[in-house]
Amino acid sequence: GSKYHKVYNVIKPGDIIVTVDKRKLTTLLIPGDWTHAAACVSKDGIFEVAEMTHTDYTKSTVADLCFEADRVAILRCSTFDQDYTDKFISAVRQFEGTPYDIKFELGIKALSCAELVWAADGERRIGASLEDVVGCGQYYISPQGIYNAANLTVVIDTTDL
């Protein structure tokens, strides 16, 4: 509870959220410290976070995301100005209705959680790099890849609280 309030106090629309939930199978399957990514699109207590889950494009609150995670980090992009933040949020919202990408293939027909963030950043301002899936020549973006993006800084990490 107290960690959630600290996260909620600092999060702003346009921020990117990465989480890990040790109770989920994806934690074992997805490499890296972070297994989920989402985008903050508002701060209204109704629809604040857009994310891709097993139920496809999902509208959540910051509370929903925090209470389902063991660890949460809020990332902010140093190259987002207000105009680009608005474009990023609009792009994230336009993916409503998109199915979850179970094959982790780049493209916008279906999206993984990290791919939602990556696809909405049309100008690639966050500076994320694509990774090769286990050396097989298929490139994708992971939550860890989002976390490692060149232009994102950690605003808060619940491990440090």
Side-chain angles (χ1 to χ4, degrees):
S2 66
K3 288 183 180 183
Y4 155 73
H5 290 292
K6 290 178 182 178
V7 167
Y8 196 78
N9 286 339
V10 300
I11 198 167
K12 296 185 339 187
D15 284 348
I16 296 162
I17 307 138
V18 290
T19 69
V20 66
D21 180 348
K22 295 175 185 166
R23 297 169 301 248
K24 293 183 179 170
L25 180 61
T26 54
T27 301
L28 298 173
L29 301 174
I30 298 173
D33 293 332
W34 302 101
T35 57
H36 186 60
C40 180
V41 296
S42 74
K43 200 166 175 184
D44 64 9
I46 299 166
F47 169 32
E48 300 172 320
V49 175
E51 57 183 322
M52 297 303 296
T53 69
H54 66 285
T55 58
D56 304 324
Y57 184 96
T58 304
K59 296 176 179 181
S60 306
T61 64
V62 174
D64 294 333
L65 202 67
C66 287
F67 294 147
E68 290 181 6
D70 293 307
R71 182 180 175 198
V72 176
I74 304 302
L75 311 172
R76 192 162 295 148
C77 187
S78 61
T79 60
F80 279 21
D81 55 24
Q82 190 57 54
D83 286 340
Y84 191 74
T85 297
D86 293 343
K87 288 178 187 177
F88 174 76
I89 290 169
S90 178
V92 169
R93 289 176 178 263
Q94 288 178 2
F95 288 118
E96 184 173 357
T98 302
Y100 186 76
D101 183 4
I102 60 172
K103 296 180 182 178
F104 297 99
E105 296 175 330
L106 289 177
I108 58 172
K109 291 180 185 176
L111 298 170
S112 67
C113 62
E115 199 175 9
L116 172 69
V117 172
W118 185 80
D121 179 24
E123 295 178 17
R124 304 290 175 250
R125 289 192 184 192
I126 65 173
S129 297
L130 299 177
E131 302 160 350
D132 186 354
V133 178
V134 197
C136 66
Q138 178 182 335
Y139 288 89
Y140 82 116
I141 185 71
S142 69
Q144 187 67 47
I146 295 293
Y147 180 83
N148 293 338
N151 297 322
L152 293 178
T153 57
V154 176
V155 177
I156 192 168
D157 182 335
T158 58
T159 297
D160 300 332
L161 301 178

